[in-house]
Amino acid sequence: MSNLKKLTRENLRNIKGGRACSVAIQGSDGTWVTREGTCDVSFVPVGMGQSSSPVAYCNTGLGYHPVTSNGGVSRCN
């Protein structure tokens, strides 16, 4: 066990897949659920005939969804 290496925060991010984040989602009954995820990048289409642009978001396994609170700005940007 003498060959063990202490990992830095950067090493851990690279293994886990990115910076940790969470998303609070309000259901139709008014209750809130918080989902944990990691910051990720998606390529969202800009418009007809235009190339897609990269958008940072919190990947909780639900795919890309635009942020509707916090002024529409993801903390993963």
Side-chain angles (χ1 to χ4, degrees):
M1 291 220 164
S2 61
N3 62 346
L4 294 178
K5 178 183 175 187
K6 183 177 179 180
L7 298 176
T8 65
R9 287 184 184 265
E10 186 64 31
N11 295 139
L12 290 171
R13 272 190 220 103
N14 291 336
I15 291 170
K16 185 169 165 71
R19 190 174 65 184
C21 59
S22 63
V23 174
I25 303 168
Q26 188 174 25
S28 59
D29 62 356
T31 60
W32 289 86
V33 175
T34 301
R35 293 184 58 112
E36 303 292 322
T38 56
C39 291
D40 205 347
V41 174
S42 179
F43 288 87
V44 179
V46 175
M48 298 294 276
Q50 296 178 347
S51 61
S52 58
S53 62
V55 176
Y57 74 105
C58 185
N59 187 351
T60 62
L62 298 174
Y64 169 74
H65 292 281
V67 177
T68 58
S69 61
N70 196 37
V73 178
S74 169
R75 291 200 171 108
C76 287
N77 290 344

